[in-house]
Amino acid sequence: MVKRYKNDPIKIIKDWQGEDWNVYEERNTQAGVIIYKGWMYERVAKSQYIYILTSDLAEFLKKHDRAQSMKLLGLSVKIVTKFRRVLGLQKKYDYTLSTLRDWMLEHQDELFNQSFQMLNEKYGLTQTEVTKYCTFLRKKGVQRSNKLRKNKIGYANRRIVENNKEALAQCENIFEVQSLLNKKNHRAARYVHNQVCIELGIPTLNDLRLQHLNEKKEWRLEHKEIILNKQYSIKEIAIQLNKTKREILTARSYLKELFGVKKRVPILNWVKEHQQDLNTLSIKELCEKFNLTMGAAIYRRKLLKQNET
DNA sequence: ATGCCTGTCTCAAAGGATAC
DNA sequence: GTATCCTTTGAGACAGGCAT
């Protein structure tokens, strides 16, 4: 530690009441007012220097509120408040700054609920500051809502969503959503997309899918007489219903299965032979052991279940 | 401890490919 | 045209990381 008080003072100045002070430190400020630190003249220093309330400083404090003074002079709330009390500008020793207090009350929802990252980007607040403000608001009787503070990922997601809302609303499948949101994982993309759908009050991809399936089923049932009629060729039916041949074939297959007409004779031998593996191994293990794709493994396990009795 | 978000495993319906 | 096997597409359950 440097024992600063043993050095000679830079100069001697008068404070706002005309008392002489030894100056040991000085610095200029954004406001143009020079801030001095030192000791009262001829006093024996015993600890750190203290701020000197000069006439210039006093004039400045009289013209600006406390928040402005703190900011423009780079002084702490304690120092500014102390001088304001000396100058008769402040009745009580109160840490809450009027402008800051108003600001906090205005932004209480954000302070309680937004992510620290967002608050930092938007208002330059540190996490500590935000926490302090929240403490202040709680003392004022402000309660946080049920929600937790939003976290980093959530904030990043919401920012992407804000920029892509219209495009998101028009997505027709999960891959479009994934590329739009730059998500590698479909699960994550769907989660975000579902939130947007709920927010905008539009159907989710799942709603659309179910709706689509239902419409298709109803259409097929509605035209089942024609679709299953063997008197017409597939081509004739397709023309009559304005569908492709493929669609008619699929519809016929669907209806047969629905009515229990269709009898499948699949790879039952293989399935029965590997019954134990199908029942005990996981899908992943089955894929590895028999060199199957996931869909194939699931399909074969399904076959076993259907034929177990 | 709790809720948010993501990754993994699993399942299901529709439709494509292909042998017959 | 049909039956069978498989892929594509979408979703749910659950666990774990993370911030609060």
Side-chain angles (χ1 to χ4, degrees):
Chain A
M1 268 313 261
V2 181
K3 296 178 180 174
R4 288 171 299 183
Y5 56 83
K6 281 191 175 175
N7 299 336
D8 291 332
I10 301 168
K11 57 177 151 183
I12 296 169
I13 59 167
K14 289 188 187 300
D15 70 14
W16 71 294
Q17 288 179 314
E19 297 288 341
D20 287 330
W21 287 66
N22 283 337
V23 175
Y24 289 88
E25 287 178 16
E26 63 179 348
R27 65 175 168 83
N28 207 340
T29 59
Q30 198 180 338
V33 177
I34 298 173
I35 301 293
Y36 297 101
K37 288 179 88 170
W39 291 108
M40 200 173 266
Y41 189 59
E42 287 188 338
R43 175 179 165 175
V44 178
K46 286 181 180 172
S47 73
Q48 62 183 356
Y49 304 131
I50 55 174
Y51 286 100
I52 301 165
L53 181 53
T54 62
S55 302
D56 283 353
L57 182 51
E59 287 308 306
F60 183 88
L61 290 173
K62 284 175 190 170
K63 286 176 192 161
H64 298 82
D65 69 26
R66 193 165 60 168
Q68 288 173 324
S69 300
M70 285 171 63
K71 193 180 170 193
L72 295 171
L73 299 172
L75 294 175
S76 72
V77 62
K78 278 193 179 183
I79 301 302
V80 172
T81 306
K82 177 182 152 191
F83 285 159
R84 285 173 61 86
R85 284 166 66 215
V86 169
L87 296 171
L89 300 171
Q90 183 139 352
K91 287 175 188 173
K92 287 182 182 176
Y93 197 68
D94 180 5
Y95 278 94
T96 57
L97 308 169
S98 59
T99 47
L100 186 55
R101 187 185 58 215
D102 290 344
W103 186 90
M104 286 191 277
L105 288 169
E106 263 172 45
H107 296 81
Q108 53 182 259
D109 285 343
E110 279 180 300
L111 288 170
F112 271 126
N113 298 320
Q114 285 300 340
S115 71
F116 290 122
Q117 187 191 348
M118 180 277 196
L119 289 168
N120 185 264
E121 281 178 26
K122 196 166 175 186
Y123 302 117
L125 296 173
T126 64
Q127 180 167 341
T128 314
E129 284 171 325
V130 174
T131 311
K132 275 189 198 163
Y133 291 3
C134 287
T135 307
F136 165 82
L137 287 169
R138 280 196 198 90
K139 280 184 188 166
K140 287 279 167 192
V142 181
Q143 296 291 325
R144 88 168 332 137
S145 60
N146 298 335
K147 293 181 209 161
L148 288 184
R149 184 179 299 284
K150 298 182 190 310
N151 64 23
K152 254 191 227 170
I153 298 167
Y155 171 55
N157 275 345
R158 269 177 293 282
R159 203 163 37 174
I160 297 171
V161 166
E162 283 305 316
N163 296 333
N164 295 284
K165 252 185 198 171
E166 273 183 36
L168 277 172
Q170 284 169 8
C171 283
E172 287 181 357
N173 61 55
I174 197 68
F175 296 108
E176 289 176 26
V177 178
Q178 249 175 284
S179 74
L180 200 61
L181 298 179
N182 196 22
K183 296 277 180 194
K184 288 175 197 160
N185 187 283
H186 72 91
R187 181 73 183 75
R190 187 155 47 86
Y191 181 83
V192 174
H193 187 251
N194 283 346
Q195 304 284 34
V196 176
C197 289
I198 290 164
E199 189 186 325
L200 296 180
I202 60 177
T204 63
L205 289 177
N206 191 34
D207 293 337
L208 291 176
R209 179 169 163 268
L210 290 177
Q211 185 190 336
H212 181 240
L213 291 182
N214 210 30
E215 282 170 4
K216 190 160 267 190
K217 183 180 179 182
E218 288 194 1
W219 183 88
R220 285 166 177 176
L221 283 173
E222 195 182 325
H223 299 91
K224 66 173 190 274
E225 312 290 341
I226 306 171
I227 293 171
L228 292 174
N229 194 327
K230 297 250 175 184
Q231 288 178 345
Y232 303 117
S233 72
I234 294 293
K235 195 178 177 183
E236 284 172 327
I237 299 171
I239 291 168
Q240 191 176 338
L241 295 177
N242 195 24
K243 296 280 176 186
T244 64
K245 286 199 285 181
R246 185 82 249 168
E247 281 171 318
I248 299 303
L249 288 172
T250 308
R252 182 178 278 185
S253 173
Y254 174 88
L255 288 171
K256 278 186 175 180
E257 185 123 8
L258 189 67
F259 297 138
V261 177
K262 203 158 135 186
K263 283 176 193 167
R264 284 173 168 245
V265 188
I267 46 168
L268 283 176
N269 286 341
W270 188 96
V271 169
K272 281 174 183 165
E273 212 173 297
H274 298 90
Q275 186 163 355
Q276 187 164 0
D277 280 340
L278 287 172
N279 276 331
T280 53
L281 299 182
S282 71
I283 293 294
K284 205 181 171 188
E285 287 167 335
L286 287 171
C287 294
E288 283 164 12
K289 183 163 182 180
F290 300 110
N291 196 23
L292 296 170
T293 63
M294 217 160 68
I298 289 167
Y299 172 73
R300 292 180 187 205
R301 183 187 273 180
K302 196 170 85 180
L303 279 183
L304 178 64
K305 278 182 191 165
Q306 284 172 354
N307 290 281
E308 258 178 348
T309 33

